Amino acid sequence: MDKFRGKAALVTGAAGGIGAAIVRQLRSEGAIVAVADRDVSGIEADAHLAGNLLDPAYADGLAQAAFEALGALHIVINNAGVITRGAVTNTTDADWALSLGVNVEAPFRVCRSAIPIMASSGGGAIVNVASCWGVRPGPNHAVYCMTKAAIASLTQCMGMDHAHQNIRVNAVCPNEVNTPMLRTGFAKRGFDPDTAVAELGKIVPLGRIAEPEDIAEVVVFLASDAASYMCGSLVEVNGGKAVG
Ligand code: NAD
């Protein structure tokens, strides 16, 4: 119940499916949480830091803003993300800039500023939300897969480079999760999201795709002292459905 009592956390993408579940679980275990997203007005939290992660000044200042609002910063969850579809030949300059900006540059900026803050108060934990496609790519999402491979690699690098400061950096790598990201993708392609989610679940060994809470549980574990010897790990959360 009080696993995170006295801990202060920053969660990006807090208005989204997985982000909202992470915020709920951290707060239910006693953490105080600063939520970051473009619109955070409807979210129950201890600090609200609305902004666009494509704005370098916002991303650079987010950790310090969370530290000032909460009085401490022990946990950072880089969860915000966007997905663009298509092979390289179908990828526009705008898709490229958006994908790299949100999925790679923003967590780089947030980590770069958060690490010294966390180190100066004895350390902490960073969890990045990558993807199973960051470990082994899937078809027709070339730039998305590349961005998730980039954040997976950055996680491993930061895990090595900042362990001596008592900062553990890990990533979760989900397969399909029942969130607005997945559902709007189905809707855009003309599929009914409920039917598509049910169909997709049939080819997962556990019989269903993930709910946001399934992913949040693992994120929260990696952020907790229970994961005290995990550092630089990429944890696949896939219901038994590994990408081949
Ligand atoms: P979601 O679309 O529900 O949530 C993503 C959140 O990120 C949104 O609230 C959005 O507003 C925020 N965001 C996007 N661009 C932003 C920007 N420029 N500035 C500020 N906030 C911004 O999606 P989700 O499924 O909850 O995704 C969370 C993470 O999980 C993402 O990194 C995603 O790539 C990853 N993921 C999702 C799935 C899946 O199937 N849903 C699978 C693997 C990995």
Side-chain angles (χ1 to χ4, degrees), residues 16-18 37-38 52-53 79 129-130 144 148 175 177 179-181:
I18 296 171
D37 208 306
R38 283 175 296 208
N52 185 348
L53 285 168
N79 162 73
V129 180
Y144 178 74
K148 292 301 183 179
N175 206 320
V177 192
T179 69
M181 177 181 280

Side-chain angles (χ1 to χ4, degrees), residues 79-176:
N79 162 73
V82 291
I83 191 164
T84 53
R85 286 175 62 78
V88 160
T89 44
N90 301 322
T91 300
T92 64
D93 285 2
D95 287 344
W96 172 267
L98 176 68
S99 301
L100 269 287
V102 177
N103 295 357
V104 183
E105 186 174 335
F108 154 73
R109 290 182 181 280
V110 171
C111 289
R112 186 175 61 179
S113 56
I115 287 167
I117 295 171
M118 296 163 89
S120 68
S121 56
I126 296 175
V127 184
N128 298 318
V129 180
S131 168
C132 62
W133 278 355
V135 183
R136 286 174 295 276
N140 207 35
H141 291 78
V143 170
Y144 178 74
C145 292
M146 182 200 70
T147 63
K148 292 301 183 179
I151 192 63
S153 176
L154 206 56
T155 298
Q156 293 172 308
C157 295
M158 292 189 294
M160 279 190 272
D161 291 343
H162 301 288
H164 73 99
Q165 292 162 295
N166 194 33
I167 296 175
R168 297 182 300 100
V169 188
N170 295 288
V172 293
C173 302
N175 206 320
E176 291 100 350

